């Protein structure tokens, strides 16, 4: 099977490439903007005609699109996430290769959901920001293209390679610095948010399964379980061996003061309802759909915590309904969150 992978240099793309290369039946060609690509091509500015000629030359059976942008203003996000996908769809329509398209979407396309609910593929999308809007527009282009195509809506990917600028990557880096300097406390905010985390290696398996399947339309890719960022932070502290306290700063106005969570405990009781998101980080690549403002140091009041605008526009809760992935792809997540967090920590600990 000849596969053309777009965006092989990104967080998800790297693991998709690694998984596909392990399959002896796959002949992989990587196209992208980076030096590590087999062929250099910018989907956001390249012409459909040029891409069509390349498709006719390579004649792939499957095209996988992991390319896109997660940062920038509305214009940049539209160019990299929507215009680029329009180029891919038009090129495939013009080409005679008849390739199947596997498009990587994201949970930000759904926007906020009701706490306690599982979001299925037939939910009405209401993205809460320009990133989700640009990805939803790309999904609609794919679904309306008439191509043999499937869109995988990936929820919150984590694991090895998680960008250092993402919420969990930033938290791991703050722990590393705190442990290195002998500090006994981390001040955190925005930990009441709940997200459906899925390991990037499981995502790569889902992409491979989708490329081999006949599934069309939208398929959710997630663990099917929402986890509070507070719980993830506590587990990360435990696998890191951070014996200090995580000092949580309640972010929404009108609530009480912060609370201390003992990092070594490994479990944090969850309140009945998710909190607001006034204090949250800007997210990195699409792997980081959760907030966490961090500040290390043993002194300073609640007002000293760094805060950022909430990134993904998905509110306080997201949890995927993953029955379609199970039924149509034969896929389900395998790697537990603790293992994903341990891998994030190992990379942070090795950083100098």
């Amino acid at each position: 099977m000849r596969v053309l992978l777009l965006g092989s240099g990104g967080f998800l793309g790297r693991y998709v490439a690694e998984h596909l290369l392990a399959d002896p039946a796959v002949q992989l060609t990587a196209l992208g903007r980076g030096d590590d690509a087999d062929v250099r091509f910018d989907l956001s500015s390249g012409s459909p005609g040029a891409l069509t000629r390349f498709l006719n030359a390579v004649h792939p059976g499957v095209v996988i699109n992991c390319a896109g942008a997660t940062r920038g203003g509305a214009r940049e996000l539209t160019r990299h996430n929507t215009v680029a996908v329009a180029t891919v769809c038009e090129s495939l329509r013009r080409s005679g290769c008849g390739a199947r398209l596997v498009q990587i979407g994201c949970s930000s396309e759904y926007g906020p959901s009701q706490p306690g609910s599982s979001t299925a593929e037939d939910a009405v999308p209401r993205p809460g920001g320009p990133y989700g809007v640009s990805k939803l527009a790309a999904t609609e282009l794919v679904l309306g293209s008439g191509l043999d195509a499937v869109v995988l809506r990936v929820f919150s990917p984590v694991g090895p390679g998680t960008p250092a600028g993402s919420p969990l990557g930033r938290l791991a880096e703050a722990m590393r610095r705190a442990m290195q300097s002998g500090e006994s406390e981390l001040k955190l905010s925005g930990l009441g948010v709940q997200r459906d985390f899925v390991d990037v290696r499981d995502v790569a398996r889902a992409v491979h399964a989708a490329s081999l399947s006949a599934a069309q339309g939208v398929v959710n890719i997630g663990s099917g379980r929402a986890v509070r960022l507070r719980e993830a932070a506590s587990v990360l502290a435990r696998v890191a061996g951070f014996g200090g306290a995580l000092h949580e700063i309640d972010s929404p106005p009108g609530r009480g003061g912060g609370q201390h969570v003992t990092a070594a405990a490994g479990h944090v009781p969850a309140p009945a309802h998710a909190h607001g998101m006034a204090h949250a980080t800007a997210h990195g690549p699409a792997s980081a759909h959760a907030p966490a403002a961090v500040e290390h140091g043993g002194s300073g009041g609640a007002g000293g915590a760094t805060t950022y605008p909430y990134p993904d526009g998905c509110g306080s809760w997201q949890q995927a309904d993953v029955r379609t992935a199970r039924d149509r792809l034969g896929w389900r997540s395998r790697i537990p969150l603790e293992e994903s967090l341990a891998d994030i920590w190992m990379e942070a600990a090795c950083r100098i």
Side-chain angles (χ1 to χ4, degrees):
M1 179 175 65
R2 293 181 179 176
V3 177
L4 176 62
L5 176 60
L6 313 176
S8 61
F11 174 44
L12 296 180
R14 287 195 301 272
Y15 283 94
V16 171
E18 182 179 297
H19 187 84
L20 292 173
L21 287 170
D23 183 350
V26 172
Q27 300 175 35
L28 182 65
T29 301
L31 182 148
R33 292 181 291 169
D35 294 334
D36 55 344
D38 297 318
V39 179
R40 295 283 297 274
F41 189 83
D42 189 341
L43 293 170
S44 67
S45 59
S47 72
L51 184 56
T52 299
R53 290 189 292 273
F54 180 74
L55 288 170
N56 287 333
V58 176
H59 211 79
V62 178
V63 174
I64 299 170
N65 185 22
C66 295
T70 58
R71 299 188 182 204
R75 178 176 296 180
E76 184 178 3
L77 291 169
T78 300
R79 186 162 61 91
H80 288 287
N81 295 337
T82 310
V83 174
V85 172
T87 297
V88 172
C89 291
E90 180 61 24
S91 300
L92 284 168
R93 278 195 297 263
R94 294 183 187 181
S95 170
C97 69
R100 173 171 171 78
L101 175 60
V102 179
Q103 166 71 16
I104 306 303
C106 72
S107 61
S108 293
E109 297 174 43
Y110 287 120
S113 56
Q114 185 69 26
S117 66
S118 293
T119 302
E121 291 84 356
D122 60 358
V124 177
R126 293 186 177 88
Y131 173 65
V133 169
S134 68
K135 293 293 289 184
L136 177 60
T139 291
E140 294 300 328
L141 286 171
V142 170
L143 298 181
S145 66
L147 299 168
D148 175 14
V150 63
V151 178
L152 303 184
R153 277 192 178 142
V154 179
F155 275 63
S156 297
V158 293
T162 294
S166 71
L168 290 176
R170 188 160 31 236
L171 179 58
E173 176 63 15
M175 282 186 188
R176 183 190 69 81
R177 292 181 178 178
M179 293 172 70
Q180 190 175 45
S181 60
E183 294 167 356
S184 59
E185 182 181 72
L186 279 174
K187 294 192 285 284
L188 309 167
S189 66
L191 298 186
V193 172
Q194 298 178 79
R195 288 293 180 266
D196 187 328
F197 296 105
V198 57
D199 193 275
V200 65
R201 293 159 292 192
D202 282 334
V203 174
R205 284 195 306 106
V207 172
H208 193 188
S211 70
L212 297 172
S213 78
Q216 295 191 337
V218 175
V219 179
N220 287 341
I221 302 299
S223 68
R225 173 177 173 259
V227 175
R228 271 189 174 81
L229 192 57
R230 179 186 304 119
E231 180 183 342
S234 183
V235 173
L236 182 60
R238 177 159 51 84
V239 299
F242 178 68
L246 305 181
H247 181 67
E248 184 178 354
I249 302 164
D250 292 340
S251 44
R255 292 178 57 201
Q259 57 180 300
H260 283 275
V261 178
T262 302
H267 172 74
V268 182
H273 300 286
H275 303 320
M277 307 79 57
H279 293 358
T281 61
H283 72 298
S287 60
H289 297 158
V294 297
E295 177 184 328
H296 59 88
S299 61
T306 306
T307 62
Y308 302 86
Y310 189 70
D312 62 1
C314 294
S316 62
W317 169 278
Q318 264 203 336
Q319 177 173 282
D321 182 330
V322 293
R323 289 175 294 180
T324 302
R326 180 194 62 201
D327 297 341
R328 297 172 65 187
L329 303 183
W331 175 94
R332 66 181 64 205
S333 63
R334 295 176 182 170
I335 299 174
L337 180 58
E338 183 167 353
E339 182 176 338
S340 304
L341 294 172
D343 289 330
I344 293 173
W345 170 249
M346 285 299 294
E347 292 183 343
C350 293
R351 199 173 296 128
I352 299 177

